[in-house]
Each structure stands twice: as C-alpha cells, then as structure tokens.
C-alpha cells in the first residue's frame, strides 16, 4: 500500500464520509484513493477557502469532525481566513494539506506552512514518515476533537508513492459523564440561587443536546426563572413561555429590561463574552454562576462567584435535588404578567423611513421568507448590517440548524459554510442570507459547487448596493458615503447563467411572486432571490 492509499484508508477508518477539497499535486492521489477505495463523497470546491468553509459548516450541523484537503503553497495560504474562523468558533476539523518536497528549496510553492498554520491559531500535525501514516492521521483527528479547533495535517508530496506500513487503527474517545455534585462551588451556587430575587437562566450552544435542554428547562422551572440564550444558542427555548430570546447586544427591549433588573445569571454552556454581556452592562453587579463541561471556559471573559465543571444536565439536576432537599422555594419570577408580556413582545429591529421606489423593506422580506420555508430548515448568514435583522426574524428548531459564520467578523464566509451545511442537511432546505458585498466576496464561482451537488439551497441577497458598516460610519459623521456604494450586476441573471433559478425583488408585488416561486422551486437546484434595499432605510438597533 502506498502512502496516498494509506491516508485514504485511514480516513475511512476514522469515519470520514464527506471530504471537501481542491486537488493539486500535493493531494490528488490521496483524494482519488479516498473516492475509489470506499466510495467516499468528495465535494469539489472552486477555491480552497470554500473547501475549508464547507467542512466547517458541515461540522457545525453534524456535530462531527469536518474534513477538507488542499495542496501546498498557495493552496494552503488561500485557506488561512477560514482556519481563523474555525479556531474562533471552536469547530473541530482536519485540513489535510500537501507540502512541497523537503529537498527542493527552490520549489515555487514552498513556504513555511507550519508558521502560517500556527499564526491562525490552528494546530499543526506533521505526517512524519511512511511508517507512521495511520497514527499521524488519527492523531490529527483526535486533537481536533479534544482541542475544539482545526488541525492541519501536513503531508510532504514526496511521501505519496512510497510504501506505507499497514496498520489497523480506530478513532475512539472515552465516554465522559461527570459532575462535581458536592463542592464548595456547588453549595455556593445553590446558596446564591436561594437568595436571588430575580435569577435568569442563560444557555449557549454548548447546551443544545436535547437531554441538556430538557434538564435546563426543569431547572429554570424549579427556580422560577426566565430563560435566555446566546446568539449561537439561537431558538434553544423557542417554545417555552418564559423565553426572553437573545441575551446581550441583540436583546429585545423586554429582555433588556428583565436582564438589567436581574441579580443573578446562571449560565449553562455559554462563554459570557462581551457580546453576550452587552459590553459588560448585563453582567455588571450581578452574581454569576457559570457551568461548563470545559474548565478552561469558566471565567474566561467574565468574573464568576461559582463555577461548576461537568455535564450540564447532571449538574442542573443535581442543583434541583439539593434545592428540593433543603426545601428552598422558587424565586417567584415566573408570573402571569411576565408570560403575557413575553407573548406580546416585538423584535428589537426597526426600520425608520420609507424605502425609495424600486426597493423593499428588509424586515418585510425576511418575514415573508421565514413564513414561506418549512419550519425544519437550516439557516446561515454572512456578515453585514442585515445580519442582525435576519438573526431576529428567521427561526430554527434547534441551534444545530443555525450555522454561525461570524466568529472572525469576516464577510464572505457564508456561502461556503452554507454549502457544507446543505450537504449535511439530510433533506432539509438550507437558507443563506447574505449581503451584496459579502456575496460577491464569497465568490460567485462557488455557486457552481451548489449546482453540481444538486443542493436545496436558498440564497437571499440583501442588496443595498453598499458595504453597509462603512456606509453607516460615513453617514454618522455627515460625510459623503459614495466610497462605500457599489454598482453590482443584477444577481438574478448571473445566477440563471450558472444554472440557478432566481428572482429579483424590487417591490411588494415582486416579493409576493418570489415567495410563490420559492415554495414551488425545484429542490434539486439552488434558488436565489436578489432583494433590492435602500441603504438609507435599514434596521436600527
């Protein structure tokens, strides 16, 4: 068995079913073996950044380790921004990257790949020799899962056709179910809750497992506290009558009122970063109980009075048991008045002014799209000022169906991650909401990947003809915003030329017609909607 065959075989043995990539002389034989040996699905990206983004989107939806491959030199450097996104989002994935021959110092594609990778914050794993192929591949996947970040496996091109040492391997992780149910921090946490007059239960993406969600809801009901989530925990408690929605800079007015008045926050699986804390305003002068399976997450961004490490559901139930044993009453915060106010709350997003002729209200458009698609769908956004409105207006049934692409605050990452999510969707439609600038930056060419893979991917372009954040900065200082204005081609004809059915929406009538097209679309093809917006009339928060 040659090295390229051994790598492919090991990928199958560790459970890789989808491999996203772009081939070059550093990885083409391995990819060929991956497809021929075990019938693995290879998704051909147009750009290396797209390949890594697809693996990140796929990993977010499946909860498994994503896998991508690129060649050496420019193949790797093209993927650096997505690697940073993967590091900042804590998404486990392995990037199998070719590397130039060690002996050829003058190779045109030679760079110090180790230093580039380390600069992104990703991990680096070297394919050491033909004798260690299986162990090196497994180690990369093992590290990706345990370290919760991308790991790059560096594969020297001159190894490919050397004889590998056959070795049967498997990727295993011990099942860890743990909780510190008796400790000073546990006693302290229960004491804080017992003395709280208005506790709030906050959950992040780390709490999205069904059994964890159920335990947190039992805990919140026991202490009679309202519920709230981080952005990445979007819609975790959507059906709960005491769900306040987002906590932080995205909070609706009622949530802000309750969170401001609260004296205690019990955070499950949430990092409590500055956005969740609304730059510290929502955590200041509050007693914080932070609960996470990962010790390094406790106190990372916010001071805490009690920190509990272990499985979230076990810890939630343990606190309930202690409160029952001590006959501690609930806080009394879950009142009929609060429930009625929550039922009547309105999103924080508002549009002031009337859009000019030839444009539509972005909130009206997003609400129509939310109603037209079935509830069970995946949802991704790119970066831009439209995104906050989309996060508020588009619902999902579980945070697993919300694909977050903004951990690095870089625009142009949405399309790649949405394609990966759509491949992992198991028959559910995938919605991508992008701005015109981020859509162009992501590369129109990657649309051909969505066509080739026959994806049920709905792409909505919020097209205000500008880079929105820069437009806002210019206009707030009474400066000419023309540098931020852009003159794009009509996206619908461009999409149609690539084999994608599309609609342009520049009026309420066209919006209604587009929604009918959306409902009747051929689900074996992507569908694009270009929504014309007025840059002067966009949501304010």
């Amino acid at each position: 068995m040659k090295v390229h065959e051994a790598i492919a075989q090991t990928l199958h043995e560790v459970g890789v079913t989808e491999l996203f990539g772009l081939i070059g002389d550093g990885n083409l034989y391995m990819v060929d073996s991956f497809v021929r040996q075990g019938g693995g699905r290879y998704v051909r990206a147009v750009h290396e950044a797209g390949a890594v983004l697809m693996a990140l989107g796929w990993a977010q939806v499946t909860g498994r380790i994503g896998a991508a491959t690129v060649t050496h030199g420019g193949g790797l450097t093209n993927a650096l921004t997505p690697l940073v996104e993967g590091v900042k989002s804590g998404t486990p994935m392995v990037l199998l990257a070719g590397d130039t021959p060690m002996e050829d110092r003058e190779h045109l594609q030679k760079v110090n790949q180790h230093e580039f990778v380390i600069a992104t914050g990703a991990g680096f794993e070297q394919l050491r020799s033909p004798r260690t192929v299986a162990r090196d591949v497994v180690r990369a996947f093992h590290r990706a899962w345990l370290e919760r970040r991308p790991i790059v496996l560096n594969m020297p091109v001159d190894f490919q056709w050397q004889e590998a040492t056959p070795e049967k391997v498997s990727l295993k992780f011990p099942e860890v179910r743990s909780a510190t149910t008796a400790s000073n921090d546990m006693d302290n946490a229960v004491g804080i809750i017992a003395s709280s007059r208005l506790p709030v239960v906050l959950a992040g993406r780390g709490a999205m497992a069904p059994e964890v969600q159920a335990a947190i809801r039992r805990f919140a009901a026991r202490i009679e506290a309202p519920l709230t989530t981080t952005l990445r925990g979007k819609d975790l408690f959507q059906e709960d009558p005491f769900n306040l929605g987002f906590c932080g800079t995205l909070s609706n007015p009622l949530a802000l009122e309750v969170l401001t008045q609260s004296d205690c926050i019990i955070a499950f699986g949430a990092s409590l970063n500055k956005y969740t804390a609304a730059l510290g305003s929502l955590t200041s002068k509050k007693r914080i109980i932070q609960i996470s399976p990962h010790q390094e997450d406790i106190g990372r961004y916010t001071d805490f009075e009690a920190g509990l490490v272990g499985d979230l559901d076990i810890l939630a139930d343990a606190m309930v048991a202690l409160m029952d044993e001590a006959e501690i009453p609930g806080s009394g915060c879950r009142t009929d008045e609060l429930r009625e106010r929550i039922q009547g709350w309105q999103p924080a997003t508002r549009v002031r002014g009337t859009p000019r002729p030839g444009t539509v209200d972005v909130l009206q458009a997003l609400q129509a799209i939310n109603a037209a698609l079935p509830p069970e769908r995946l949802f991704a956004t790119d970066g831009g000022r439209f995104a906050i409105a989309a996060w508020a207006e588009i619902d999902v049934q579980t945070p697993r169906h919300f694909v977050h692409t903004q951990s690095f605050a870089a625009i142009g990452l949405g399309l790649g991650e949405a394609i990966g999510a759509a491949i992992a969707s198991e028959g559910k439609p995938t919605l991508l909401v992008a701005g015109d600038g981020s859509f162009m930056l992501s590369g129109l060419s990657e649309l051909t990947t969505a066509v080739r893979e026959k994806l049920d991917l709905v792409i909505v372009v919020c097209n205000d003809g500008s880079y929105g954040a820069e437009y806002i900065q210019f206009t707030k200082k009474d400066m000419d915003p023309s540098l931020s204005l852009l003159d794009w081609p009509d996206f619908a004809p461009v999409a149609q030329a690539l084999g994608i059915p599309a609609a342009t929406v520049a009026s309420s009538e066209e919006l209604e017609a587009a929604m009918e097209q959306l409902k009747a679309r051929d689900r074996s093809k992507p569908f694009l909607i270009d929504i014309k917006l007025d840059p002067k009339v966009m949501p304010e928060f």
Side-chain angles (χ1 to χ4, degrees):
M1 182 178 290
K2 306 299 182 184
V3 165
H4 66 84
E5 294 172 317
I7 295 170
Q9 177 174 298
T10 308
L11 291 179
H12 289 299
E13 289 175 350
V14 300
V16 174
T17 54
E18 280 85 9
L19 178 64
F20 304 89
L22 188 62
I23 58 173
D25 58 354
N27 64 344
L28 75 169
Y29 302 116
M30 179 272 292
V31 172
D32 178 73
S33 293
F34 176 78
V35 174
R36 286 189 298 102
Q37 282 180 359
R41 183 178 184 180
Y42 172 60
V43 180
R44 294 168 286 171
V46 176
H47 192 280
E48 290 89 354
V52 176
L53 291 168
M54 292 172 202
L56 293 175
W58 185 91
Q60 283 197 57
V61 172
T62 63
R64 294 162 55 194
I65 304 170
T69 183
V70 298
T71 191
H72 44 220
L76 176 68
T77 58
N78 279 346
L80 296 183
T81 294
L83 282 177
V84 177
E85 172 67 24
V87 170
K88 287 180 173 284
S89 65
T91 304
M93 69 153 290
V94 171
L95 176 61
L96 298 104
D99 198 2
T100 50
M102 294 294 291
E103 65 183 23
D104 188 355
R105 291 184 175 182
E106 305 304 320
H107 196 290
L108 291 177
Q109 292 176 278
K110 189 174 186 63
V111 293
N112 190 327
Q113 297 196 165
H114 175 267
E115 291 192 8
F116 276 109
V117 170
I118 295 302
T120 69
F124 185 89
E125 194 67 34
Q126 181 67 45
L127 187 64
R128 295 171 293 165
S129 77
R131 298 186 304 278
T132 62
V133 171
R135 279 173 284 164
D136 294 339
V137 173
V138 169
R139 179 172 168 80
F141 279 84
H142 193 262
R143 288 184 59 193
W145 184 256
L146 293 181
E147 297 173 22
R148 295 183 289 160
R149 61 171 176 161
I151 303 295
V152 175
L153 178 64
N154 204 59
M155 309 180 300
V157 67
D158 39 353
F159 284 179
Q160 291 184 92
W161 287 93
Q162 294 184 29
E163 291 293 331
T165 301
E167 190 171 0
K168 192 73 174 177
V169 296
S170 61
L171 181 65
K172 294 181 180 179
F173 301 98
E175 183 179 356
V176 179
R177 296 283 289 164
S178 64
T180 305
T181 54
S183 67
N184 290 335
D185 268 342
M186 175 61 81
D187 293 341
N188 192 20
V190 173
I192 292 169
I193 295 166
S195 63
S196 174
R197 57 176 180 78
L198 204 169
V200 173
V201 174
L202 166 67
R205 192 174 178 88
M208 67 182 171
E211 65 276 13
V212 174
Q213 178 189 356
I216 293 172
R217 289 185 66 174
R218 290 194 297 270
F219 170 78
R222 172 62 179 82
I223 70 173
E224 300 178 16
L227 292 151
T228 183
T229 74
T230 65
L231 171 61
R232 297 193 70 193
K234 175 178 166 57
D235 293 335
L236 183 62
F237 305 118
Q238 189 176 29
E239 303 303 322
D240 194 286
F242 289 96
N243 173 32
L244 295 170
F246 291 131
C247 174
T249 52
L250 301 177
S251 293
N252 65 74
L254 175 58
L256 281 176
E257 177 187 327
V258 175
L259 287 161
T260 300
Q261 293 175 357
S262 71
D263 57 359
C264 172
I265 294 177
I266 305 103
F268 289 87
S271 66
L272 295 175
N273 64 35
K274 69 176 185 179
Y275 303 105
T276 302
L279 306 181
S281 64
L282 296 182
T283 53
S284 177
K285 299 180 181 178
K286 290 179 175 56
R287 307 185 80 177
I288 304 296
I289 302 168
Q290 193 171 2
I291 306 163
S292 174
H294 308 289
Q295 183 176 4
E296 63 270 21
D297 290 346
I298 306 292
R300 181 192 236 174
Y301 300 110
T302 303
D303 291 339
F304 64 94
E305 283 200 43
L308 303 177
V309 179
D311 285 86
L312 303 182
D313 52 338
I314 295 176
L315 287 166
D317 288 339
M319 285 189 285
V320 168
L322 287 173
M323 294 183 69
D324 289 345
E325 183 181 341
E327 299 182 347
I328 297 172
S331 66
C333 295
R334 289 196 166 197
T335 62
D336 291 340
E337 177 190 5
L338 178 59
R339 181 173 56 247
E340 291 168 3
R341 291 186 69 193
I342 289 174
Q343 290 174 349
W345 72 267
Q346 297 295 319
T349 51
R350 293 288 182 273
V351 170
R352 293 184 181 177
T354 302
R356 68 171 186 261
T359 62
V360 296
D361 183 326
V362 65
L363 296 184
Q364 176 191 3
L366 292 171
Q367 289 162 3
I369 292 162
N370 189 55
L373 287 171
E376 195 172 10
R377 70 296 187 93
L378 277 64
F379 168 48
T381 66
D382 211 311
R385 60 173 169 163
F386 66 89
I388 296 177
W391 295 333
E393 299 294 343
I394 305 296
D395 301 320
V396 292
Q397 293 187 326
T398 167
R400 180 74 72 195
H401 294 166
F402 174 53
V403 180
H404 185 264
T405 71
Q406 286 299 290
S407 297
F408 192 27
I411 68 171
L413 308 187
L415 180 57
E417 293 211 33
I419 290 172
I423 288 172
S425 68
E426 298 182 335
K428 293 178 281 292
T430 299
L431 170 65
L432 168 66
V433 181
D436 48 312
S438 57
F439 178 67
M440 287 295 289
L441 185 61
S442 66
L444 284 172
S445 56
E446 213 64 78
L447 289 176
T448 62
T449 304
V451 173
R452 185 190 321 115
E453 296 296 327
K454 299 180 179 181
L455 300 181
D456 185 7
L457 174 62
V458 177
I459 302 166
V460 174
V461 183
C462 294
N463 186 356
D464 63 358
S466 74
Y467 285 123
E470 290 70 25
Y471 182 93
I472 292 170
Q473 292 187 58
F474 279 131
T475 55
K476 279 189 174 181
K477 294 186 180 296
D478 295 322
M479 295 173 65
D480 180 2
S482 58
L483 286 176
S484 67
L485 298 177
L486 303 160
D487 187 16
W488 305 119
D490 285 338
F491 292 129
V494 172
Q496 290 164 352
L498 294 171
I500 298 174
T504 300
V505 172
S507 67
S508 295
E509 294 74 21
E510 289 181 346
L511 177 61
E512 185 176 345
M515 293 305 99
E516 293 304 315
Q517 289 178 260
L518 175 59
K519 294 174 186 176
R521 73 193 184 282
D522 179 352
R523 295 187 61 178
S524 67
K525 296 180 180 179
F527 182 71
L528 183 141
I529 306 174
D530 182 10
I531 301 177
K532 304 295 186 182
L533 304 174
D534 186 342
K536 295 181 180 179
V537 185
M538 289 291 285
E540 297 183 0
F541 311 99

